[in-house]
Amino acid sequence: MEELRTGVYVCMCGTNIAKVVDVEAIAEFARTVPGVALAKTYKYMCSNPGQEMIVQDIREHKLNRIVVAACSPNMHERTFRSALRIAGLNQYLLEMANIREQCSWVHADTKGATEKAKALVYAAICRVKFHEELESVSVNMCPNVLIIGGGIAGMTAALELADAGNQVYLVEKNDHLGGNLARVDLTAPYLYSARDLLTERITRVMEHKKIKVFLNSTLRELKGFIGNFTASVSGVNGTGDKTAKPEVVEIGNVIVCTGYKEFDASRVVHYGYGKLPNVITSFELEKMIREGNIRTKEGKIPKYVAIIHCVGSRSQEFHSYCSRVCCMTALKYAHEIKSANPGCYISDIYIDMHAFGKGHEDFYRRSSEAKTLFLMYEKDDRPVIHKAEPKDNCEMLIEVNEKLSGEHIEIPADLVVLMVGMEAREDSHEIARLVNISQDNEGWFIESHPKLEPVATTTDGVFIAGTCVAPKDIPDTVAQARAAAARILARIAKEKIEVDALFSEVNENLCSGCRLCNTLCPFSAIEFDEIKKQSHIISALCKGCGVCVAACPSAAIKGRHFTDLQVLSQLEGLLAV
């Protein structure tokens, strides 16, 4: 075995670490450990000078192991691996000790924090000497892409990818493209025509030579891994003819853009939806506006219209989140109703007015100048609607405990519009199962990281965009769709995809074929060979989580970079100081 020459680098992280931990004392301690060739401190190890220091030391001092005591590996392990590669050292001969999040940020006692940091560094030194030179695996990248959902997000992503010369398969469960936006007349805050916006997109998609559209179709099965998926689509083909059997397509990546469904307003009994004929939802009003006929069920032009916000949203009983688009859509309705019927009195009943987007605050101001009556109510004190008496000269009365005035008010209404919120589609669970992605407790699909990876998922090659992720408006939906397309185009351009070397392996001589690992793998990365009667791990799908390693009763599975020897030596080192 070659002589160990370990380099230890202790980061001050400005004052994040150095104000609590004595970094010089740690470096001095590390120099006393057998096998450590040098130990240094630096203000910012992740900076370019810090990385250059590591590269230069590896070359000059012939270092063959590196320990960096700094922040979380989740933040900068890739940074330091890159430095090792530049220096010509295998990137997996690195170990990080987290002395920021696990030490300086959670302790105030300098002496105690320093001793703990020494233990963490010593444990890393003990572990890194058993690290192995691992090589990443490359797989071919199929340039074809499957997009599930033909709304504005799906069509936008399809056009971005197809315009770059890639074959796109667009699967839509309905008999038309456009999604929920196809049910909308104008869009806030500039009152652009949604129909014009969609017509242009739909025409381009249907006529594009690189886009194959499957209408009235669903994804039946998805097999494989990033760059090498096989998708089975059932339903009808692009011409509208029913297919006798599912069509199988080869793809490299998937984008899920399945959208949302509207909240069922009848669940809020206070509003009488389904019982009072002139209590309608926002989408029912959209249909009236598109037909140019805003009338009550009796065919009368309403004199009093009331718009109630947050139906199904911002409520612990239904959904605690805000559906984001309802406030500006309600203001849009006030403009459209006033335009169709100038003599109409409009009441806008809200909890809070969220004017968060570009141009929205100005739109709110213009709406208030249009003599809309704004009334505010408490989140847990909903308005109550009941049938009016003949003497009231209106169809209904709405009782509201108005928050700003502190008074109990009765508002006349001939037509009540309920601004229904967004919620996850009822088939989202099935989609999540098919493409192997996760959902939160509300049913929305979960991104890999909410801020840094907003369109990626934990399954490589599967992306999410639009309102299947969370409520959002059209600009954010389009931005996410283009972001997902850009991520895929970047991968397609490389033609091959590099798979991290941290995956598990099955020792066929020890595998008994019990299939326990097959059922436990959260990434569906383990397949069973019926001929050999043994399990096999698909390295491109494996995330190295270690569930199979821990569960295997035959100890037949090895987790690369997390072997028993490496982990136990780290534990022994941690307890030795």
Side-chain angles (χ1 to χ4, degrees), residues 491-511:
R491 291 180 170 183
I492 291 172
K494 295 179 179 179
E495 297 183 352
K496 289 184 178 290
I497 186 75
E498 187 175 280
V499 179
D500 197 345
L502 306 188
F503 53 84
S504 298
E505 295 176 314
V506 177
N507 184 337
E508 294 184 356
N509 296 326
L510 297 177
C511 179

Side-chain angles (χ1 to χ4, degrees), residues 147-160 168-183 194 197-203 205-206 211 213-215 217 255-260 425 465-468 473-474 477-482:
I147 297 176
I148 308 172
I152 187 65
M155 290 192 293
T156 299
L159 289 169
E160 292 288 323
V168 177
Y169 300 101
L170 181 60
V171 178
E172 169 57 49
K173 69 180 301 183
N174 295 314
D175 61 358
H176 63 277
L177 298 175
N180 285 305
L181 188 57
R183 304 159 68 190
L197 185 155
L198 281 175
T199 300
E200 182 268 341
R201 292 290 168 96
I202 293 172
T203 302
V205 167
M206 297 301 293
I211 301 177
V213 179
F214 294 87
L215 297 176
S217 302
I255 306 179
V256 180
C257 311
T258 50
Y260 70 95
R425 294 175 58 90
T467 51
C468 63
D473 60 2
I474 297 169
T477 296
V478 170
Q480 272 206 329
R482 285 185 165 148

Side-chain angles (χ1 to χ4, degrees), residues 334-347:
H335 282 270
E336 290 180 295
I337 294 168
K338 278 279 190 180
S339 177
N341 182 12
C344 183
Y345 295 93
I346 299 175
S347 302

Side-chain angles (χ1 to χ4, degrees), residues 318-431:
F318 303 110
H319 301 299
S320 58
Y321 56 78
C322 170
S323 290
R324 294 189 67 189
V325 301
C326 312
C327 288
M328 294 302 104
T329 303
L331 298 182
K332 180 198 75 165
Y333 290 153
H335 282 270
E336 290 180 295
I337 294 168
K338 278 279 190 180
S339 177
N341 182 12
C344 183
Y345 295 93
I346 299 175
S347 302
D348 198 293
I349 308 168
Y350 67 97
I351 297 174
D352 293 302
M353 189 64 70
H354 289 182
F356 66 91
K358 184 178 181 179
H360 289 184
E361 192 66 36
D362 185 56
F363 188 50
Y364 181 24
R365 179 187 54 79
R366 296 202 315 270
S367 300
S368 62
E369 291 172 355
K371 297 183 179 179
T372 300
L373 178 63
F374 290 100
L375 301 160
M376 190 176 187
Y377 69 96
E378 287 281 1
K379 186 185 294 186
D380 299 320
D381 188 15
R382 300 189 190 97
V384 177
I385 306 172
H386 56 80
K387 191 74 176 172
E389 299 293 333
K391 62 182 176 63
D392 293 320
N393 196 31
C394 60
E395 288 288 325
M396 295 163 284
L397 289 173
I398 305 173
E399 296 183 31
V400 183
N401 289 319
E402 212 283 320
K403 184 177 178 180
L404 298 179
S405 66
E407 297 180 0
H408 183 82
I409 299 174
E410 281 192 339
I411 305 164
D414 297 318
L415 189 67
V416 176
V417 181
L418 304 179
M419 300 303 302
V420 288
M422 298 183 186
E423 64 180 10
R425 294 175 58 90
E426 58 277 347
D427 60 355
S428 61
H429 179 72
E430 178 63 15
I431 294 294

Side-chain angles (χ1 to χ4, degrees), residues 103-147:
C103 208
S104 67
W105 279 5
V106 292
H107 297 294
D109 175 24
T110 296
K111 184 178 179 181
T114 301
E115 290 303 312
K116 180 179 178 181
K118 286 180 182 179
L120 291 169
V121 170
Y122 184 67
I125 295 171
C126 291
R127 186 192 201 278
V128 78
K129 64 183 178 181
F130 294 110
H131 281 202
E132 301 168 339
E133 294 189 5
L134 304 177
E135 295 299 330
S136 299
V137 179
S138 293
V139 295
N140 291 326
M141 171 62 69
C142 175
N144 304 338
V145 182
L146 175 72
I147 297 176

Side-chain angles (χ1 to χ4, degrees), residues 263-275:
F263 177 78
D264 180 6
S266 64
R267 293 166 62 186
V268 188
V269 295
H270 305 71
Y271 298 149
Y273 179 75
K275 296 179 181 178

Side-chain angles (χ1 to χ4, degrees), residues 84-96:
L84 266 66
R85 287 200 305 270
I86 293 170
L89 189 64
N90 187 279
Q91 63 178 330
Y92 295 101
L93 299 179
L94 163 79
E95 181 64 17
M96 288 190 68

